[in-house]
Amino acid sequence: MPAERLQKIISAAGIASRRKAEELITNGLVSVNGQVVTELGSKADLEHDHIRVNGKLLREAERHVYLLMNKPKGYVTTLSDPEKRPTVMDLLHGVGARVYPVGRLDYASEGILILTNDGELANQMMKAASHVPKTYMVKVAGTPTPESLGKLRAGLTIRSDKGRRVRTAPAKISPIREGNNPWYEVTLIEGKNRQIRRMFEEVGHHVEKIKRVRYGPLELDVPPGKFRRLAPKEVEKLRAAAK
């Protein structure tokens, strides 16, 4: 087996995402043949080198698992929560591997979420957030005017987590159900935090519900709180979309 970058080996083994693996290396928690390695460019060969992460010997790469979950409202998309709120990990049973969520849906949102222990694919998907389309069903309070919908479709500036103003990319928005609290189908090609809520707030409308129904080539097809394994063809489609 040819030598590979340490962070790639660690993420392929299902220990952590590529980004987290880099943190483990720079924090001095990874050793190769007894020597602590902190350089991110360092390489190793899993077949011939003894690689330890947090003192634990790294074995052969773990069998990759790919899951599609319907995240319910009231769960956070993290491995653990300091506020002791339920996490999506509480919904996993009988998986047989340690997986982690790719991207996130906020506490009050629901819908399709991908979980995997394939650090390489997870890293590609995170980088590809700017071009993989994601479709949501969105219920808002009050009816936006045609002018307001035009602004949302064209892109507008919203507040970021750090308080700065950032511009959104053009979005596809189609009405689904009319009324005092109408529903819209919204498709984005980016993933700013709480983006849809902040977009509608910018034109004066509070978002009451968000449900993500499509992620790239995948459609939501399991009940809330449930999950299923992706078929090999689905994994390949997801991999192709992320490149």
Side-chain angles (χ1 to χ4, degrees):
M1 181 183 294
E4 294 184 311
R5 289 177 179 268
L6 273 173
Q7 57 264 45
K8 182 176 181 180
I9 294 173
I10 294 169
S11 65
I15 301 297
S17 66
R18 180 78 70 91
R19 187 176 301 173
K20 184 64 178 177
E22 292 176 349
E23 292 179 10
L24 291 169
I25 293 169
T26 55
N27 289 335
L29 298 175
V30 178
S31 67
V32 179
N33 300 326
Q35 299 294 317
V36 174
V37 177
T38 57
E39 295 292 330
L40 291 181
S42 302
K43 294 185 177 182
D45 183 339
L46 189 56
E47 286 187 358
H48 299 98
D49 294 319
H50 292 276
I51 304 169
R52 291 184 181 273
V53 179
N54 270 332
K56 185 177 181 180
L57 185 64
L58 198 64
R59 303 293 181 184
E60 185 179 347
E62 189 175 15
R63 179 176 59 88
H64 287 154
V65 174
Y66 309 89
L67 305 177
L68 182 156
M69 174 186 285
N70 185 347
K71 174 199 167 305
K73 180 180 179 180
Y75 285 77
V76 290
T77 313
T78 56
L79 299 180
S80 61
D81 183 57
E83 298 178 31
K84 305 300 181 183
R85 293 173 297 180
T87 80
V88 293
M89 310 310 292
D90 298 327
L91 300 170
L92 296 177
H93 304 285
V95 175
R98 182 176 183 269
V99 297
Y100 42 90
V102 180
R104 60 191 170 191
L105 282 172
D106 66 41
Y107 182 76
S109 299
E110 55 188 299
I112 189 170
L113 181 69
I114 306 301
L115 301 99
T116 185
N117 59 354
D118 184 342
E120 184 71 18
L121 178 58
N123 188 55
Q124 288 178 349
M125 289 171 64
M126 294 297 288
K127 286 185 177 179
S130 61
H131 68 258
V132 176
K134 293 168 282 291
T135 301
Y136 305 78
M137 291 177 60
V138 181
K139 181 183 180 182
V140 302
T143 304
T145 64
E147 291 76 17
S148 294
L149 292 177
K151 290 180 181 179
L152 297 175
R153 292 183 177 116
L156 74 173
T157 60
I158 60 174
R159 175 178 52 82
S160 71
D161 286 345
K162 296 181 180 179
R164 295 185 296 109
R165 304 288 294 180
V166 295
R167 188 164 185 84
T168 64
K172 293 182 180 179
I173 301 180
S174 304
I176 298 174
R177 188 184 307 161
E178 297 181 351
N180 294 329
N181 300 299
W183 285 84
Y184 295 91
E185 181 181 89
V186 179
T187 300
L188 305 178
I189 54 170
E190 57 186 350
K192 295 179 174 63
N193 192 28
R194 299 180 63 81
Q195 179 172 342
I196 291 177
R197 297 182 189 280
R198 288 170 177 169
M199 285 170 59
F200 277 93
E201 285 170 4
E202 197 63 34
V203 295
H205 294 273
H206 173 70
V207 170
E208 296 187 341
K209 290 185 179 179
I210 295 180
K211 183 175 186 178
R212 184 159 67 190
V213 294
R214 284 195 294 275
Y215 189 113
L218 304 177
E219 293 194 15
L220 184 64
D221 57 3
V222 294
K226 302 298 182 181
F227 64 90
R228 67 172 177 84
R229 294 175 187 266
L230 294 183
K233 286 185 178 180
E234 291 178 310
V235 175
E236 289 308 309
K237 288 181 179 179
L238 195 60
R239 202 181 302 278
K243 287 184 178 178

